[in-house]
Amino acid sequence: MAEPNLQEVHDFLVGLAQQAATMIISANPSTVDTKKNSSDLVTETDKAVEDLISKSLKSAYPDYSFLGEETAKSGRLTDSPTFVVDPIDGTTNFVHAYPYISISLAFAHKQKPLVGVVYNPFTQNLYTAIKGQGAFITAPKIPDSFPREREQVESSYEKRKLPLRSPPPALPDLSHAIVAVEYGNERAGNNWDCKINTFSALGRDKSMGGAMVQSIRSLGSAALNMCSVAKGDIDVYWEGGCWAWDVAAGWVIVEEAGGMVVGGNQGEWTPKVDGRRYLVLRAGAGREIVEEFWSKIN
């Protein structure tokens, strides 16, 4: 098998994301089913978008593997060249018409993400990265002034390198940070207790042993959370319980923006993409932030 042409793969995934976006913005999620419980939703649009993407990829790249959220029998990656796909990351947001969702498309080889494409069809923010070539956001350009009456407004887009602030400011400690977390769909047991205890430790006053972070965000899309870290809007993102298709695209975008992905549990400096627990830090946040965060996990 020939070595993958990463630029070609990137361009193909961008085109696919734009096709999928057309389906999503025109959809009305009238059929909503649950998978594990009432917080774990799937719609007919999730399935239709994954079907579109999988058929297109298998036609263009018949020798490559496919790992998609709605059809995967296992969440595990292999060493084979693999497309890793979440057709709608943020399905609960989609059902509630909250526009923080994304199409997350990645290409991995030997279990390493090499290409990432994350697209929010409602904001039209497109995040992309190729290993070794940097990370970028392409977004609608904000006009310098409002258009005059009856003046035609033409959409224009601007591509910018990530992170948006260069050089990125240092992060002294967690008390200067905005941290993203997610509740997930496992609402009982040790994992749930660990999350709630850790959320409390992050917010608690330092005099009581907490980190006293500036604020916590829970926005409902792992891929977009990672892109916000890459961009620099969010300083740290802690995740326990999601899957390779949630993080693979964002992973390469974060790393190409100068950030890092380590494990969600103490001592996990080299996590696997399918390891399910992650700590993601923006450029400018060093290993001491990792150690501080790990110390707050209960």
Side-chain angles (χ1 to χ4, degrees), residues 24 28 34 39 47 58-59 76 92 112 118-119 140 147 151 153 157 179 188-189 192 204 224 238 244-245 267:
I24 291 170
N28 179 18
T34 60
S39 70
K47 297 173 183 177
K58 287 173 183 176
S59 175
R76 297 299 179 187
T92 301
K112 302 293 184 183
V118 175
Y119 186 47
E151 184 178 1
V153 179
Y157 295 84
V179 177
W192 172 250
R204 191 180 302 128
L224 287 179
W238 182 58
W245 45 77

Side-chain angles (χ1 to χ4, degrees), residues 179-195:
V179 177
V181 299
E182 295 294 344
Y183 285 89
N185 53 51
E186 296 177 13
R187 302 296 177 86
N190 292 337
N191 194 46
W192 172 250
D193 292 341
C194 177
K195 283 187 176 184

Side-chain angles (χ1 to χ4, degrees), residues 18 23 25 33 36 38 50 127 137 147 152 168 174 183 186 209 223 230 243 252 279:
Q18 292 168 338
M23 293 181 66
I25 61 177
D33 297 320
K36 182 178 295 184
S38 62
E50 182 162 315
Y127 301 89
I137 178 175
Q152 185 176 3
L174 286 175
Y183 285 89
E186 296 177 13
W243 300 88
V252 64
L279 181 61

Side-chain angles (χ1 to χ4, degrees), residues 21-44:
T22 301
M23 293 181 66
I24 291 170
I25 61 177
S26 62
N28 179 18
S30 56
T31 303
V32 181
D33 297 320
T34 60
K35 293 187 275 190
K36 182 178 295 184
N37 55 41
S38 62
S39 70
D40 191 9
L41 307 181
V42 62
T43 71
E44 74 281 6

Side-chain angles (χ1 to χ4, degrees), residues 229 254-255 258-262 269 279-283 285-287 290:
V229 172
V254 166
E255 290 190 335
M260 73 172 99
V261 183
V262 298
W269 288 103
L279 181 61
V280 188
L281 296 92
R282 67 163 173 84
R287 292 170 70 93
V290 176

